[in-house]
Amino acid sequence: MSVLATPIDPTSAAFLLTENRNMPMHVGGLQLFKKPEGAGRNYVREMFEQMRDANEVSPLFLKHPHRSVRTGAQLVWKPDEQFDIDHHLRHSALPKPGRVRELLELSSRLHSTRMAWERPLWEAHVIEGLRDGRVALYTKIHHSLVDGISAMRLMASTLSTDPEQRDMPPPWAYRASSRKPAPSQTNLSELPMTALRSALGLTAEAAGMPAALVKTLTKSVRNETSALSLHAPHTILNQPITGSRRFAAQDWPVERLRLIGKATGTTINDVVLAMCAGAMRTYLLELDALPEAPLVAMVPVGLNAKQSHIASAEGGNAVGAVMVRLATDLADPARRLSAIHRSMKDGKESLSSMTPTQILAMSAIGQAPAILTPMLRMSGIVRPPYNLIISNVPGPRSTHFWNGAQLVGHYPLSIPINGMALNITCTSYDGKMGFGLTGCRRTVPHLQRLLTHLDDEVKALEKAAGI
Amino acid sequence: MSVLATPIDPTSAAFLLTENRNMPMHVGGLQLFKKPEGAGRNYVREMFEQMRDANEVSPLFLKHPHRSVRTGAQLVWKPDEQFDIDHHLRHSALPKPGRVRELLELSSRLHSTRMAWERPLWEAHVIEGLRDGRVALYTKIHHSLVDGISAMRLMASTLSTDPEQRDMPPPWAYRASSRKPAPSQTNLSELPMTALRSALGLTAEAAGMPAALVKTLTKSVRNETSALSLHAPHTILNQPITGSRRFAAQDWPVERLRLIGKATGTTINDVVLAMCAGAMRTYLLELDALPEAPLVAMVPVGLNAKQSHIASAEGGNAVGAVMVRLATDLADPARRLSAIHRSMKDGKESLSSMTPTQILAMSAIGQAPAILTPMLRMSGIVRPPYNLIISNVPGPRSTHFWNGAQLVGHYPLSIPINGMALNITCTSYDGKMGFGLTGCRRTVPHLQRLLTHLDDEVKALEKAAGI
């Protein structure tokens, strides 16, 4: 039996090898769809069957990691010769009463389970039973295949702005466009890893990359003028985690956040961070666990080519990471927002004075926290320089559809790791800002309370801004 | 961190080590319950919560296999120090229209998935959404923890004949009775493995057991006077399998089978075998895959202590295995039943002339087919001496309840292996004979058709018997 095995690049291999029961390394997405007008009672089953019967599956979704004596104990990708779509795509239903609560419980459970290497590392669940009639789609894909942002783009790329369009394939289908990517639109699922590797001039040795990153990173960390801060206080978020997950999600109108920003001279992103800051403050106060020093968030930011000094052949943007003080020591929402705005501005400025390699190294913290944390520790940096990661990924602005079903909500599920038990990822879509909170259920108790606190914080910020 | 590790006995270790993606080594059970009178709309959730909140979990359900450098690469049981009941017990729902078909699809899917060694090897799913209002419970436990019969008994042991009884624990709860088993009722979950090992005088070496078994077995196989037959024809069932499963289940009144037996001078077990034989004949004919020679089934049978020559300290029964010719070459149902009756009788007679060790070795074929098949091959026996396994396990005769919910159906899910793609296990309960058919979905196409064929066969046998 001959199989076509291809080598796994070092970064992907690192995601596979650092994974364990407590730290599954997959990202997820929860999408909510509104059935089209005139949908019959079998609509969800038909949607499921249409996805299942997609003609051809893209190679990315057919390969699985493999290591054996025959491969010289090296980790390789191998096509699954017994690929079974029924293992990957599933039709599920919510128990009664079918509230969003039951959906979040199911998503938490699905996101907790690690995927076995013996099959391609992805799953999609078409979920019916929401009492408001909406249909949910939970998708899960291993970080060794795509990073979180690319996964979200991959999901979005199969949608259309045309409500009348039909015969649209699911995200895992082999599409003509994926055969030969246009120069301006490289293969999203491969870009970040390879770009990072080539930018750092790394060889194919797995050990090489983290070492090079850590060298750059420790330099930056020890340089007080850099965008990194070493003064993140210890919190309950920064301890070893278990394999139990809790996911909570909700959205707020972007317009409300925009008006707050306008009235206070801040950005929508500042308002998102202030919401998280206020919610974290209330949450930790309730648990009697708020540290005196303010929490520090690691916030990935996009930089245009000029700012980042990167002469990019593709002319694209680079991503850096700013350490933002969340001002959780301040009781007043308006002062918190203002402090966050300043901290973000400072961070971005120092970031633009960094070298391309430094920026890429920073960016890699977000890409590979699980790999970098132990390496940092070996370099004498005992505590990560931030308490949690807050990402804000812009999504499509217009209304999108999949075969006539309107996408009405989109929430990302991310990866908590040891020492970083909570991850907040936001994504905007069609005038709404969707918040996805993914945490270790044991380390971050009652995580869902953060949704109420986020809502209270929007109101408090509106009041403070005089709206 | 110190953990209490205990050695894994060789048979259990063999089940763990022979397992792969195509051959998960867990048994399952599907139980159907009728809600008690006056059950509220939250009944299923309350049932789930009552199971989830069971105070203490039995050690059997807390341990997981572990192997590391520290254990000298030896496989040991380790208690799960981060045991999370939410990973093991799940509340699910069926998609619409909530027929038995959707339940069997979900059971097939749940039964397909291999359990990761990093957690205790069991799952239980409380399933709502059947349109007739019944509640289903699918349970799954690894063969290294209990064999199939013990698993079914374990499930039954938590039930009561009293519909008024409440505060009943789930099967995995630590119960007073399991602390100190009565002499007449040894710990069911431990008995078969240890009894087998001690009866064969085996040491703790993993390699020792299969070798000893094979020696006995090959002797029996080559002795034409034994209960084994070498003349099983090749069928589509006897080829390598994949990891996809299809489960089908249905029950028929025991009274119907009893009347057929009474009218034809055969046993209920003969009638069960004749049903399977007729159904297999029709099924294989439809696929144009019926061999000329009759199929041979391996049928485990109970023998009392006198028959089996075993001086059992516990006074219990021994289990042997008979090779039964299913007479699938005969078109007439009455002649088939009669031939099966004779074949079963001959097999039982030659079995009672076997030595205790031979009987235990036979019994071990059912226990450990995946282990024995390659060993047989190494001994020059290239083809297993039977085409499929048909077990008939007696269950409780009276109506049973769990906290007031009446058990109305009970169907076993078994383990297909390479070369043995279909397993039929029947169990009687409360006047019904439940058939559970577990197969590889790819090797045994349209497995669910066998249910129709089984039903047709009961009617044909009734007609032939003049009922």
Side-chain angles (χ1 to χ4, degrees), chain B residues 416-458:
Chain B
I417 58 162
N418 275 333
M420 210 61 62
L422 174 67
N423 181 299
I424 302 180
T425 305
C426 304
T427 188
S428 56
Y429 161 67
D430 199 15
K432 281 175 285 193
M433 182 67 76
F435 282 63
L437 288 71
T438 317
C440 165
R441 196 179 65 233
R442 297 190 174 187
T443 321
V444 190
H446 311 295
L447 187 154
Q448 65 278 14
R449 286 185 191 165
L450 280 165
L451 295 181
T452 313
H453 301 333
L454 282 168
D455 195 54
D456 290 344
E457 197 60 22
V458 182

Side-chain angles (χ1 to χ4, degrees), chain A residues 84 96 114 118 128 244, chain B residues 84 96 114 118 128 244:
Chain A
D84 180 8
K96 291 262 159 53
R114 187 178 163 194
E118 57 200 16
E128 67 178 57
S244 307
Chain B
D84 181 9
K96 290 260 160 48
R114 186 178 164 195
E118 56 200 15
E128 67 178 57
S244 307

Side-chain angles (χ1 to χ4, degrees), chain A residues 255-268 270-271 337 465 467:
Chain A
E255 184 59 14
R256 283 178 72 182
L257 313 193
R258 199 187 64 79
L259 287 175
I260 295 169
K262 199 179 166 194
T264 54
T266 60
T267 68
I268 291 176
D270 292 338
V271 177
L337 174 57
I467 298 169

Side-chain angles (χ1 to χ4, degrees), chain A residues 260-450:
Chain A
I260 295 169
K262 199 179 166 194
T264 54
T266 60
T267 68
I268 291 176
N269 197 45
D270 292 338
V271 177
V272 164
L273 293 173
M275 282 172 69
C276 297
M280 284 310 299
R281 178 182 152 88
T282 310
Y283 172 81
L284 290 173
L285 272 178
E286 277 184 359
L287 293 173
D288 199 19
L290 183 71
E292 278 185 29
L295 266 63
V296 176
M298 195 274 258
V299 182
V301 294
L303 298 167
N304 65 38
K306 195 182 157 196
Q307 271 182 309
S308 68
H309 313 282
I310 300 179
S312 165
E314 291 89 19
N317 290 337
V319 176
V322 173
M323 302 297 148
V324 179
R325 286 198 175 75
L326 290 182
T328 46
D329 52 332
L330 304 178
D332 179 55
R335 286 184 60 204
R336 251 193 332 262
L337 174 57
S338 160
I340 287 168
H341 176 69
R342 277 197 311 277
S343 178
M344 188 70 183
K345 203 155 166 277
D346 292 352
K348 273 196 175 168
E349 273 163 16
S350 60
L351 199 59
S352 60
S353 71
M354 288 172 81
T355 66
T357 314
Q358 282 172 324
I359 290 171
L360 277 165
M362 299 278 291
S363 143
I365 310 178
Q367 288 285 336
I371 306 164
L372 282 170
T373 307
M375 299 299 287
L376 281 171
R377 200 161 287 147
M378 282 165 61
S379 309
I381 296 168
V382 290
R383 201 187 283 173
Y386 50 93
N387 298 106
L388 76 164
I389 301 175
I390 304 177
S391 315
N392 183 358
V393 185
R397 290 179 176 223
S398 52
T399 312
H400 278 65
F401 300 84
W402 192 78
N403 287 308
Q406 185 188 335
L407 179 69
V408 289
H410 186 182
Y411 314 91
L413 291 92
S414 193
I415 304 177
I417 58 161
N418 275 334
M420 209 63 61
L422 174 67
N423 181 298
I424 302 179
T425 305
C426 304
T427 188
S428 55
Y429 162 67
D430 198 16
K432 281 174 286 192
M433 182 67 76
F435 282 64
L437 288 72
T438 317
C440 165
R441 197 178 64 235
R442 297 191 174 187
T443 320
V444 190
H446 312 294
L447 187 154
Q448 64 277 17
R449 285 186 191 163
L450 279 165

Side-chain angles (χ1 to χ4, degrees), chain B residues 265-283:
Chain B
T266 59
T267 68
I268 290 176
N269 197 46
D270 292 338
V271 177
V272 165
L273 293 173
M275 283 172 69
C276 297
M280 283 310 299
R281 179 182 151 88
T282 310
Y283 172 81

Side-chain angles (χ1 to χ4, degrees), chain A residues 67-85:
Chain A
R67 182 162 50 178
S68 75
V69 177
R70 286 181 59 204
T71 63
Q74 221 199 331
L75 209 52
V76 295
W77 289 120
K78 242 179 72 175
D80 182 357
E81 299 195 328
Q82 295 186 341
F83 179 77
D84 180 8
I85 186 74

Side-chain angles (χ1 to χ4, degrees), chain A residues 21-22 45 80 82-84 86 90-91 93-96 102 109 114 118 128 244 441-442, chain B residues 21-22 45 80 82-84 86 91-96 102 109 114 118 128 244 441-442:
Chain A
R21 164 229 173 118
N22 294 341
R45 178 166 297 275
D80 182 357
Q82 295 186 341
F83 179 77
D84 180 8
D86 287 337
R90 301 175 184 185
H91 184 184
L94 296 179
K96 291 262 159 53
E102 277 73 37
R109 195 176 95 191
R114 187 178 163 194
E118 57 200 16
E128 67 178 57
S244 307
R441 197 178 64 235
R442 297 191 174 187
Chain B
R21 165 231 171 117
N22 294 342
R45 179 165 295 275
D80 181 358
Q82 295 187 342
F83 179 77
D84 181 9
D86 286 337
H91 184 183
S92 299
L94 296 178
K96 290 260 160 48
E102 277 73 36
R109 195 176 94 190
R114 186 178 164 195
E118 56 200 15
E128 67 178 57
S244 307
R441 196 179 65 233
R442 297 190 174 187

